[in-house]
Amino acid sequence: MLVCFNGSHYGTTGSDGTMTEHFELVVRAPSVLVDGVFVPREIGIRGGVIASVSELRLTGNEVVTLAPDEVLIPGVVDTHVHVNEPGRTEWEGFATATRAAAAGGVTTIIDMPLNSIPATTTVEALDLKRAVAAEKAVIDVGFWGGAVPENLGTLRELHEAGVYGFKAFLAPSGVDEFGHLDTPQLFSALEEIASFGGLLIVHAEDPAVLDAHANHGGRDYHRFVESRPDEAEITAIGNVIEGVRRTGARAHILHLSSAAALPELRAARAEGLPITVETCPHYLTLSEEQIADGATQFKCCPPIRDDANRDLLWQALLEGDIDIVVSDHSPATVDLKTRGGGDFQEAWGGIAGLQLELPAVWTEAARRGIGLERVLQWMSRGPADFVGLPAKGRIAVGADADLVAFAPDATWTVHKEQLLHRNPVSAYDGRELRGAVRRTWVSGAPPTAGALLSRPSL
């Protein structure tokens, strides 16, 4: 018989009269990531929340037992995703982006304020984006706001409306409706954000350096990298550090591609400045040496650099100088990605990586002898903690039941036509990856309707 337990839990009474808790869903696995260690556990889920992490046999309305080659991991939390809806839904959209995410083991995304139209720089634009996402998203979604020249002085309104922070470009963004901040405007934004304890996340490339190195290398990938040198990131990051030093605001460096900027970041963090850093799967898994001339599916800004740089990014992750790994999923139409017939200056930049980020990073990490538990710290718990979502990115009692059955030793080959994001373009097309997502749960259920998230009140 079912009986009430502690007012809200349910259980059954056995023949010996003892109470056994009963759950809506039980997931059994020989290997579950709990507190950074893989151990055999059974996960009991009730009301979309993990109610038990047990070594004992649990009972449930539904019981799922993972295959011997599968492990149970927390869903990936991706805090850097361009969904582009409304306004540029031909590039991507909440339906396609979140289905691709779920297929790749991503259960929570935080959407960037561009390249949607309107950009998320007003409360009205945020409300519009929320309304669109509520109808289409199959995983949990939160939102960044934007800091542009036109809305400085009004950022508190967006903060109070629930955005997780504010994105700024220090060089042209590529879209007219999202302007970049010059250095005085950067300092002004940081001062404003410091006044209410917010966060500025920064695309850090310096426009003067980019102008000085501009070229028209056409199909030559090395010439494209030369047009966006390490110096552009170093100079822009230096300005962010100085702004944080002056104002005390929190800042985050987006998509770090240049390891040459790490010494200055290490020094700033050692000084106690509140600066965090991310990098992306494409910087960790691809390199300049692998990219053929004219292969504009690899174009992104800042660019994918050489093998030696990639090794230094991995070293920085292991040493804690880079905090998290997120996709910077930034898709566009096939026409835009191939515009100019392979001319890197003409093609649109951006890597569509939501569905592939976990296996891509795991493939390279495994090659380097790095454990899956470290990868998930960078891709699940770390990003969740970064944006203040303590119920995400972990398997623990009280956490949301966002879970993934993952086969870490399965290998498969990427075919761009089989990916679920809107446009069939992929920098990983034809690559063999290690690690397959077999099943994803969002709040203990198949990913069919996600929740809209707002920044928790502090």
Side-chain angles (χ1 to χ4, degrees):
M1 59 179 288
L2 287 178
V3 296
C4 186
F5 182 70
N6 285 346
S8 60
H9 294 180
Y10 289 89
T12 60
T13 51
S15 59
D16 60 356
T18 60
M19 175 79 75
T20 302
E21 283 195 85
H22 190 83
F23 302 91
E24 295 162 7
L25 171 66
V26 172
V27 182
R28 297 172 176 160
S31 189
V32 180
L33 185 63
V34 179
D35 293 331
V37 179
F38 282 99
V39 290
R41 289 292 185 271
E42 297 201 358
I43 309 303
I45 297 162
R46 190 183 297 111
V49 174
I50 297 172
S52 178
V53 178
S54 178
E55 299 179 58
L56 304 176
R57 199 76 166 170
L58 304 179
T59 63
N61 297 342
E62 179 186 3
V63 177
V64 175
T65 302
L66 268 56
D69 67 334
E70 296 174 346
V71 299
L72 189 68
I73 61 174
V76 170
V77 177
D78 191 337
T79 57
H80 193 151
V81 178
H82 294 267
V83 177
N84 304 336
E85 188 175 18
R88 287 194 175 94
T89 313
E90 71 274 14
W91 294 17
E92 188 63 284
F94 283 103
T96 50
T98 59
R99 284 201 300 267
V106 180
T107 53
T108 302
I109 63 171
I110 311 296
D111 174 62
M112 283 290 166
L114 74 162
N115 297 304
S116 56
I117 301 174
T120 316
T121 55
T122 66
V123 173
E124 293 75 19
L126 173 64
D127 289 342
L128 175 60
K129 184 171 282 195
R130 280 177 170 156
V132 173
E135 295 180 353
K136 300 180 180 181
V138 302
I139 64 171
D140 293 346
V141 180
F143 304 94
W144 296 108
V148 297
E150 294 79 11
N151 74 345
L152 296 184
T154 67
L155 300 181
R156 184 186 288 271
E157 298 172 18
L158 267 172
H159 176 78
E160 292 177 349
V163 298
Y164 284 85
F166 302 89
K167 180 174 186 176
F169 275 76
L170 304 187
S173 70
V175 294
D176 294 338
E177 67 276 2
F178 201 94
H180 69 284
L181 305 182
D182 61 24
T183 302
Q185 289 168 335
L186 167 66
F187 291 172
S188 177
L190 285 166
E191 183 175 10
E192 181 180 355
I193 288 168
S195 72
F196 53 77
L199 170 68
L200 187 70
I201 63 174
V202 186
H203 180 125
E205 289 182 288
D206 184 79
V209 174
L210 296 179
D211 288 346
H213 289 80
N215 64 52
H216 197 85
R219 294 172 55 86
D220 187 328
Y221 183 72
H222 181 67
R223 291 281 286 151
F224 171 64
V225 175
E226 288 181 331
S227 76
R228 303 188 90 95
D230 299 277
E231 182 187 349
E233 289 187 76
I234 294 168
T235 301
I237 288 169
N239 287 333
V240 174
I241 291 170
E242 178 57 26
V244 170
R245 186 179 287 119
R246 291 185 184 190
T247 65
R250 292 185 297 136
H252 177 76
I253 303 302
L254 296 166
H255 47 50
L256 181 74
S257 89
S258 173
L262 286 165
E264 192 167 4
L265 284 165
R266 288 189 190 102
R269 286 152 65 105
E271 185 182 333
L273 298 182
I275 298 174
T276 50
V277 185
E278 72 181 39
T279 193
C280 302
H282 38 280
Y283 301 131
L284 296 170
T285 64
L286 305 171
S287 64
E288 179 181 347
E289 291 87 345
Q290 302 168 356
I291 299 175
D293 290 347
T296 52
Q297 68 268 32
F298 293 94
K299 179 182 176 180
C300 57
C301 301
I304 297 165
R305 304 187 189 276
D306 61 24
D307 274 325
N309 181 82
R310 180 175 60 165
D311 288 342
L312 290 172
L313 293 178
W314 276 103
Q315 180 181 339
L317 270 170
L318 291 169
E319 294 177 355
D321 296 316
I322 297 174
D323 301 282
I324 59 176
V325 178
V326 291
S327 71
D328 189 11
H329 178 75
S330 187
T333 63
V334 175
D335 287 347
L336 284 172
K337 284 298 294 177
T338 59
R339 186 173 57 188
D343 187 325
F344 281 95
Q345 298 300 337
E346 297 294 326
W348 183 262
I351 305 292
L354 256 178
Q355 190 170 341
L356 302 175
E357 59 183 299
L358 175 58
V361 175
W362 167 233
T363 299
E364 184 63 20
R367 188 181 74 83
R368 293 170 180 266
I370 299 168
L372 182 58
E373 69 281 357
R374 297 294 303 275
V375 170
L376 292 164
Q377 174 61 37
W378 299 322
M379 300 186 74
S380 294
R381 186 163 191 152
D385 291 347
F386 163 57
V387 292
L389 291 172
K392 301 292 187 184
R394 67 210 73 204
I395 297 176
V397 172
D400 293 344
D402 300 340
L403 304 169
V404 175
F406 186 66
D409 296 324
T411 59
W412 57 288
T413 300
V414 177
H415 298 291
K416 61 185 179 182
E417 296 82 6
Q418 297 173 0
L419 299 175
L420 299 182
H421 63 261
R422 186 174 298 278
N423 290 283
V425 180
S426 176
Y428 298 96
D429 187 39
R431 291 175 70 94
E432 184 177 88
L433 297 182
R434 176 178 178 178
V437 173
R438 299 269 177 81
R439 188 166 179 177
T440 299
W441 294 268
V442 179
S443 296
T448 56
L452 299 187
L453 306 173
S454 289
R455 175 189 48 78
S457 299
L458 301 178

